[in-house]
């Protein structure tokens, strides 16, 4: 079994889901008392969040690169960055590593292609929805990406930072997200990517008939399955 390197803490609320899903997947595949071999480095998200909103991505890149180098030194075979937004700097981190990063947008695109999705909605932080570091990967896989309008994007992102990253679940916010999912579907999206690792805390497939693609679930599952490949 390969050793999974987890870069977590962004937020720790969703990092716990990664650990749970990875180990549930290993248990389902191998049975018995099997669990995943992992190395976890958890950063201080307050620091990272401040650099995001002050546009100091170079400083957050330096912090995350140092963390990934520590994970590599600890014996990990590959790295899973347990957040969507910070994949904005994944390429720069990868340049410093000898082991690969399992990219969250790439494995999500693979699942969408398997299900023959052509047009997909995207929810996430403003950075993920509005910048091209994430959507470019989806579009390179021949996916047409739809995002909410500007007002909705602001509210979607605000709920992530001010509620979900703090473990706060608000019913009004849940309904807003479901309404936004429907709006994306009405705009032609065949499904919607939950492109922030905290969104799955708020809405899930049981809440809607519109196909949802939870990046936390997808990323963690694929990380576990990769550890079993020879």
């Amino acid at each position: 079994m390969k050793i999974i390197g987890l870069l977590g803490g962004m937020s720790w609320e969703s990092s716990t889901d990664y650990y749970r899903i990875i180990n549930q997947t290993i248990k389902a595949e191998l049975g018995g008392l099997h669990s995943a071999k992992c190395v976890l480095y958890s950063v201080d998200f307050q620091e990272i969040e401040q650099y995001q909103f002050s546009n100091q991505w170079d400083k957050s890149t330096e912090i995350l690169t140092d963390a990934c180098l520590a994970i590599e030194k600890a014996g990990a075979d590959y790295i899973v960055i347990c957040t969507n937004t910070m994949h904005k700097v994944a390429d720069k981190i990868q340049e410093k590593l000898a082991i690969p990063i399992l990219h969250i947008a790439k494995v999500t695109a693979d699942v969408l292609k398997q299900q023959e999705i052509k047009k997909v909605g995207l929810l996430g932080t403003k950075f993920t929805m509005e910048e091209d570091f994430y959507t470019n990967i989806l579009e390179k896989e021949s996916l047409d990406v739809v995002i909410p309008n500007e007002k909705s994007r602001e509210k979607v992102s605000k709920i992530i930072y001010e509620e979900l990253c703090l473990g706060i679940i608000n019913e009004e916010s849940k309904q807003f997200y479901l309404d936004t999912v429907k709006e994306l579907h009405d705009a032609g999206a065949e499904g919607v990517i939950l492109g922030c690792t905290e969104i799955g805390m708020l809405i899930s497939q049981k809440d809607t008939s519109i196909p949802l693609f939870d990046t936390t679930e997808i990323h963690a599952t694929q990380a576990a399955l990769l550890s079993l490949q020879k």
Side-chain angles (χ1 to χ4, degrees), residues 131-145:
E131 299 186 30
D132 61 9
F133 69 91
Y134 201 93
T135 55
N136 273 355
I137 290 176
L138 301 176
E139 289 168 354
K140 284 179 181 177
E141 298 296 333
S142 301
L143 291 161
D144 187 8
V145 182

Side-chain angles (χ1 to χ4, degrees), residues 119-126 128-131 135 144-150 152-153 180 183-184 187 189:
K119 189 171 186 177
V120 67
L122 175 63
L123 297 178
T125 65
K126 283 187 64 179
T128 299
M129 291 186 287
E130 295 179 356
E131 299 186 30
T135 55
D144 187 8
V145 182
V146 184
I147 60 174
N149 61 49
E150 184 176 0
S152 293
R153 293 197 301 271
T180 305
E183 288 172 6
L184 292 172

Side-chain angles (χ1 to χ4, degrees), residues 35-158:
S35 55
K37 294 182 178 180
C38 299
V39 175
L40 169 63
Y41 192 118
S42 188
V43 298
D44 179 3
F45 189 37
Q46 179 72 39
E47 189 175 18
I48 299 299
E49 186 264 355
Q50 289 174 347
Y51 289 144
Q52 288 177 346
F53 282 92
S54 61
N55 200 32
Q56 297 183 79
W57 295 94
D58 55 334
K59 291 188 176 181
S60 57
T61 300
E62 183 178 345
I63 292 170
L64 298 190
T65 299
D66 287 345
C68 285
L69 288 169
I71 292 170
E72 180 178 86
K73 187 176 181 180
D77 292 293
Y78 53 95
I79 287 175
V80 176
I81 302 174
C82 304
T83 171
N84 284 271
T85 299
M86 292 315 298
H87 278 76
K88 175 181 169 73
V89 299
D91 289 345
K92 290 185 178 180
I93 297 172
Q94 184 66 80
E95 291 173 1
K96 304 294 184 180
L97 300 175
I99 60 175
I101 294 171
L102 183 66
H103 200 291
I104 195 168
K106 182 61 171 69
V107 295
T108 299
D110 290 343
V111 170
L112 292 166
K113 289 170 63 179
Q114 289 167 10
Q115 298 198 23
E116 299 184 343
I117 298 291
K118 301 296 184 183
K119 189 171 186 177
V120 67
L122 175 63
L123 297 178
T125 65
K126 283 187 64 179
F127 308 109
T128 299
M129 291 186 287
E130 295 179 356
E131 299 186 30
D132 61 9
F133 69 91
Y134 201 93
T135 55
N136 273 355
I137 290 176
L138 301 176
E139 289 168 354
K140 284 179 181 177
E141 298 296 333
S142 301
L143 291 161
D144 187 8
V145 182
V146 184
I147 60 174
N149 61 49
E150 184 176 0
K151 184 177 179 180
S152 293
R153 293 197 301 271
E154 288 282 353
K155 189 169 181 179
V156 166
S157 195
K158 184 176 181 180

Side-chain angles (χ1 to χ4, degrees), residues 194-209:
L194 307 185
C196 174
T197 53
E198 283 79 29
I199 297 178
M201 296 163 54
L202 187 64
I203 63 172
S204 65
Q205 193 61 71
K206 71 178 185 296
D207 298 313
T208 177
S209 61

Side-chain angles (χ1 to χ4, degrees), residues 151-228:
K151 184 177 179 180
S152 293
R153 293 197 301 271
E154 288 282 353
K155 189 169 181 179
V156 166
S157 195
K158 184 176 181 180
I159 289 168
I160 289 168
Y161 283 102
E162 297 184 9
E163 296 178 20
L164 300 181
C165 286
L166 297 172
I168 298 169
I169 305 301
N170 184 300
E171 285 301 316
E172 290 184 6
S173 297
K174 179 175 182 177
Q175 189 57 56
F176 169 74
Y177 265 64
L178 292 173
D179 290 343
T180 305
V181 166
K182 185 177 184 304
E183 288 172 6
L184 292 172
H185 181 64
D186 291 344
E190 301 165 82
V192 175
I193 298 171
L194 307 185
C196 174
T197 53
E198 283 79 29
I199 297 178
M201 296 163 54
L202 187 64
I203 63 172
S204 65
Q205 193 61 71
K206 71 178 185 296
D207 298 313
T208 177
S209 61
I210 300 166
L212 300 180
F213 297 89
D214 186 341
T215 53
T216 302
E217 185 81 33
I218 292 168
H219 202 203
T221 299
Q222 292 306 309
L225 294 175
L226 180 59
S227 75
L228 300 177

